[in-house]
Amino acid sequence: RKVHRKGPKSADNYLDLLVRLYRFLARRTATKFNRIVMKRLYMSRRNRAPLSLARLVRQMKKDGREGKTAVVVGSVTDDLRIREIPKLNLCALHVTDGARARILRAGGRIITLDQLALESPLGLKTVLLQGPRTQREADRHFGPAPGTPHSHTKPFVRSKGRKFERARGRRASRGYKK
């Protein structure tokens, strides 16, 4: 039995209003965009991974995306690794204070999802973006068992000291180095 959400689990009233709006748009418009946004509003926070400003800029620099609005159903966070930010049109569920200040300083514009519904009810001239879901620290522990051949899975180790998992397979002087 495959379970899929019919609504968000969150008790947030504002999220509920957005869900009602995009349910209506998904039903009354024949665009895939509104159905996708509606489905992403239902998602848990784990599946709505944050998107960094650097990744947002990199995605919006691709061909044919200038002048379009980036739509993120999730958080947009500041990234100090990037110095220059181009002028961006952004629509997001949440933008951190640092990211908001930098986008607005660069002459960009930030709108909410309900404002987007008024401006572009069919999702025209928009680019739907998502944060990377598998970048969580917990995901590094998933995969073939640590120590098996060609495994890059991170072991659960109590400490990173000299005495912890530093023998066979970790040093050439102790049998072999993987």
Side-chain angles (χ1 to χ4, degrees):
R1 181 168 82 94
K2 187 162 172 60
V3 177
H4 59 274
R5 288 190 174 190
K6 302 252 189 308
K9 286 263 184 91
S10 170
D12 184 352
N13 295 326
Y14 296 105
L15 183 65
D16 189 45
L17 289 170
L18 280 177
V19 165
R20 285 183 194 192
L21 171 64
Y22 277 92
R23 257 192 204 137
F24 173 80
L25 288 171
R27 191 176 74 243
R28 295 295 295 269
T29 61
T31 57
K32 205 172 171 186
F33 172 84
N34 289 319
R35 284 206 307 276
I36 292 169
V37 171
M38 183 188 73
K39 192 179 74 179
R40 289 188 188 175
L41 285 168
Y42 292 171
M43 286 180 180
S44 61
R45 282 186 65 166
R46 185 192 149 168
N47 289 317
R48 286 190 280 111
L51 183 72
S52 73
L53 205 50
R55 197 179 280 261
L56 175 68
V57 168
R58 193 167 70 231
Q59 291 291 335
M60 293 310 285
K61 275 184 179 170
K62 290 182 177 175
D63 295 349
R65 289 186 175 180
E66 59 277 346
K68 289 190 175 182
T69 303
V71 180
V72 182
V73 185
S75 294
V76 174
T77 55
D78 195 8
D79 199 337
L80 299 173
R81 295 171 297 184
I82 187 167
R83 291 274 176 90
E84 296 299 315
I85 291 177
K87 188 178 173 183
L88 290 171
N89 280 338
L90 174 66
C91 169
L93 209 53
H94 176 242
V95 184
T96 62
D97 292 339
R100 184 179 296 276
R102 290 181 74 185
I103 291 167
L104 296 175
R105 204 180 308 134
R109 184 165 162 264
I110 301 169
I111 61 171
T112 56
L113 284 161
D114 51 311
Q115 288 170 314
L116 179 77
L118 290 172
E119 278 182 27
S120 177
L122 301 178
L124 301 173
K125 293 194 175 177
T126 60
V127 181
L128 255 175
L129 298 172
Q130 266 185 319
R133 291 187 200 181
T134 56
Q135 297 298 300
R136 294 163 60 236
E137 204 280 331
D139 277 287
R140 296 179 185 187
H141 297 284
F142 302 156
T148 56
H150 314 298
S151 160
H152 298 285
T153 309
K154 186 178 181 180
F156 288 104
V157 184
R158 186 162 36 120
S159 182
K160 248 186 111 107
R162 170 186 60 82
K163 298 184 285 186
F164 302 95
E165 301 198 15
R166 289 278 184 269
R168 282 183 78 244
R170 297 287 181 179
R171 288 187 290 178
S173 63
R174 299 287 181 274
Y176 70 99
K177 168 93 171 74
K178 189 174 75 146

